[in-house]
């Protein structure tokens, strides 16, 4: 099913003969054209005036996909599992989009390239669209680009969008704010589940997967995960733990059933609009933060230099970033 995106705010969009190059990209994207969508994503990835205009226009377009976030530590089998999940939806005749948020992910290099070809040959059509989002290191870049990419896929008319992120580090996208359903993937033998709890990954899962269930210790990993979930604050949705072997596809049917069950739950649950509102609040706050920072740096060029001056001190472990920020503010 395709939902062609249409501009809501007519005033914001030119549809006359003097159509701008950017508008042309939007029109192509709304028709599901992959090249237009790809180019639009490139505009959205880079900074600049055109990026701002594209973002603004993007937010007024219609289109809604079911967004599944798949997160977990490196190497647990996220890409392999996503290939399996995507195949199930493709077999149902759906339009699927995949966004890989890490530049080192096999999606951007080797691994999924093979899957991509396999899907094309099974599918015989262009119903799978894969794009990786590489961090260019600019402010809020990665999470902003990811959200924008999801929206482009929605405008394209994708029924399902799957986003892969690595669940570690400062740069990680808060996937639970982007996704309707967040799947946290773990694997046996990772050892310290307390570490998982501390990293916050346990908090964000709607569904937990213990992948590589062909390995010894899979049952222990399931029990540890269940114990970790019990330590979460009580909520009406109890996250299930599913065992899979992404390598051969076992357990994937059950995972799909749980994904559908969660989707139904959020569709009917009174809490769902609040979740969307929370995500919007987060986006607004992030825009304010970025705007303030930009203004702060532009108002006085010496501020940038001062920050660079402190960088060495932080790098050499003589101080920490929060203390530097405090010192800079106190001085002013
Ligand atoms: N034994 C076993 N190996 C698996 C399974 N699923 C994936 N693998 C292997 O685990 C390795 C990593 O799989 P990926 O799917 O690339 O893992 P990933 O989490 O996407 O990795 P990053 O994107 O680098 O974080 C590959 O060699 C897979 O073939 C599984 O169920 N069992
Ligand atoms: Mg991967």
């Amino acid at each position: 099913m395709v939902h062609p995106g249409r501009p809501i705010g007519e005033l914001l969009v030119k549809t006359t003969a003097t159509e701008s190059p950017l508008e042309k990209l939007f029109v192509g994207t709304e028709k599901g054209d992959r090249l237009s969508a790809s180019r639009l994503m490139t505009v959205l990835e880079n900074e600049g005036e055109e990026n701002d205009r594209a973002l603004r226009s993007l937010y007024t377009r219609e289109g809604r996909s079911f967004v599944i976030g798949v997160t977990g530590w490196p190497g647990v089998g996220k890409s392999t599992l996503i290939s399996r999940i995507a195949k199930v939806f493709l077999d149902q005749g759906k339009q699927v989009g995949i966004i890989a948020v890490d530049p080192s992910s096999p999606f951007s290099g080797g691994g999924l390239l093979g899957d991509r070809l396999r899907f094309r040959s099974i599918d015989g059509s262009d119903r799978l669209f894969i794009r990786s989002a590489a961090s260019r290191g600019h402010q809020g870049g990665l999470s902003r680009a990811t959200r924008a990419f999801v929206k482009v896929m929605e405008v394209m008319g994708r029924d399902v969008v799957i986003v892969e992120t690595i669940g570690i580090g400062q740069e990680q996208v808060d996937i639970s704010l982007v996704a309707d359903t967040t799947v946290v993937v773990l694997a046996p033998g990772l050892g310290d589940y307390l570490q998982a709890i501390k990293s916050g990954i346990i908090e964000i899962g709607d569904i937990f997967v213990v992948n590589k269930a062909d390995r010894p210790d899979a049952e222990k990993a399931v029990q540890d995960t269940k114990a970790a979930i019990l330590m979460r604050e009580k909520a009406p949705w109890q996250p299930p733990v599913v065992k899979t072997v992404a390598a051969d596809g076992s357990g994937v049917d059950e995972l799909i059933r749980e994904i559908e069950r969660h989707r139904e739950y959020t569709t009917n649950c009174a809490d769902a609009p609040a979740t969307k509102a929370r995500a919007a609040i987060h986006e607004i706050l992030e825009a304010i933060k970025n705007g303030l920072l930009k203004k702060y740096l532009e108002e006085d060029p010496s501020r940038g230099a001062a920050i660079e001056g402190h960088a060495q001190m932080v790098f050499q472990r003589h101080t920490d970033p929060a203390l530097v920020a405090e010192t800079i503010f106190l001085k002013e």
Side-chain angles (χ1 to χ4, degrees):
M1 192 174 57
V2 179
H3 325 273
R6 230 166 281 124
I8 301 166
E10 278 170 31
L11 284 175
L12 289 170
V13 184
K14 282 187 252 163
T15 48
T16 55
T18 56
E19 221 170 50
S20 69
L22 187 60
E23 184 52 26
K24 273 193 193 131
L25 292 187
F26 271 109
V27 170
T29 303
E30 284 169 347
K31 287 183 185 145
D33 176 49
R34 309 160 76 91
L35 194 60
S36 303
S38 267
R39 288 192 177 144
L40 184 56
M41 284 170 169
T42 304
V43 171
L44 289 160
E45 228 175 4
N46 298 323
E47 273 185 298
E49 223 174 85
E50 201 183 22
N51 170 301
D52 292 343
R53 269 190 295 136
L55 260 184
R56 212 154 279 158
S57 189
L58 186 63
Y59 273 73
T60 64
R61 309 274 159 160
E62 280 178 18
R64 186 80 186 95
S65 311
F66 177 49
V67 184
I68 305 170
V70 177
T71 192
W73 291 332
V76 291
K78 299 179 295 295
S79 301
T80 316
L81 198 61
I82 288 173
S83 310
R84 297 273 172 196
I85 298 170
K87 186 174 177 325
V88 172
F89 287 114
L90 285 171
D91 285 348
Q92 293 172 1
K94 302 222 162 87
Q95 302 266 348
V96 178
I98 297 177
I99 301 168
V101 182
D102 186 86
S104 69
S105 162
F107 277 124
S108 48
L112 206 88
L113 220 60
D115 288 325
R116 199 191 299 225
L117 293 172
R118 205 178 69 220
F119 281 135
R120 289 260 167 82
S121 62
I122 294 169
D123 186 34
S125 77
D126 271 351
R127 285 191 287 108
L128 180 69
F129 184 60
I130 303 172
R131 171 74 188 224
S132 54
S135 165
R136 297 276 158 89
H138 53 76
Q139 264 301 313
L142 195 55
S143 57
R144 201 174 76 157
T146 308
R147 272 197 304 268
F149 282 14
V150 169
K151 283 202 189 295
V152 171
M153 296 253 187
E154 294 190 313
V155 171
M156 267 183 104
R158 301 279 121 177
D159 300 292
V160 180
V161 176
I162 310 171
V163 186
E164 174 178 345
T165 60
I166 291 190
I168 46 162
Q170 299 265 310
E171 269 267 311
Q172 79 151 304
V173 176
D174 196 345
I175 190 66
S176 60
L177 287 168
V178 179
D180 297 301
T181 298
T182 302
V183 177
V184 170
V185 186
L186 301 160
L190 286 179
D192 196 352
Y193 273 71
L194 270 179
Q195 199 63 35
I197 296 165
K198 272 196 249 155
S199 76
I201 210 171
I202 297 290
E203 293 302 321
I204 62 167
D206 298 311
I207 297 167
F208 288 84
V209 170
V210 171
N211 187 44
K212 306 198 182 183
D214 51 323
R215 294 230 174 131
D217 275 0
E219 203 42 52
K220 182 174 183 309
V222 170
Q223 294 316 320
D224 285 350
T225 307
K226 284 185 176 162
I229 294 169
L230 279 179
M231 291 167 80
R232 284 179 23 161
E233 213 175 286
K234 285 276 161 297
W237 171 261
Q238 275 303 307
V241 181
V242 182
K243 263 195 298 189
T244 61
V245 182
D248 70 8
S250 4
V252 172
D253 286 351
E254 195 197 339
L255 173 59
I256 296 286
R257 274 197 298 280
E258 291 297 352
I259 289 174
E260 292 291 359
R261 195 166 70 83
H262 184 256
R263 180 188 200 170
E264 235 160 74
Y265 168 79
T266 50
T267 317
N268 302 320
C269 147
D271 229 27
T275 311
K276 289 286 157 216
R278 261 204 310 278
I281 288 171
H282 177 84
E283 284 190 57
I284 294 168
L285 287 177
E286 205 172 273
I288 292 174
K289 203 167 74 183
N290 290 339
L292 285 176
L293 181 62
K294 198 163 170 243
K295 202 166 150 222
Y296 175 80
L297 293 173
E298 279 171 2
E299 257 173 20
D300 180 352
S302 74
R303 286 171 173 161
I307 292 169
E308 273 171 35
H310 283 92
Q312 279 294 328
M313 298 286 285
V314 174
F315 174 65
Q316 287 165 358
R317 297 173 185 257
H318 296 310
T319 182
D320 67 275
L323 193 61
V324 170
E326 227 174 88
T327 317
I328 290 176
F329 278 127
L330 278 181
K331 260 199 207 145
E332 290 201 356

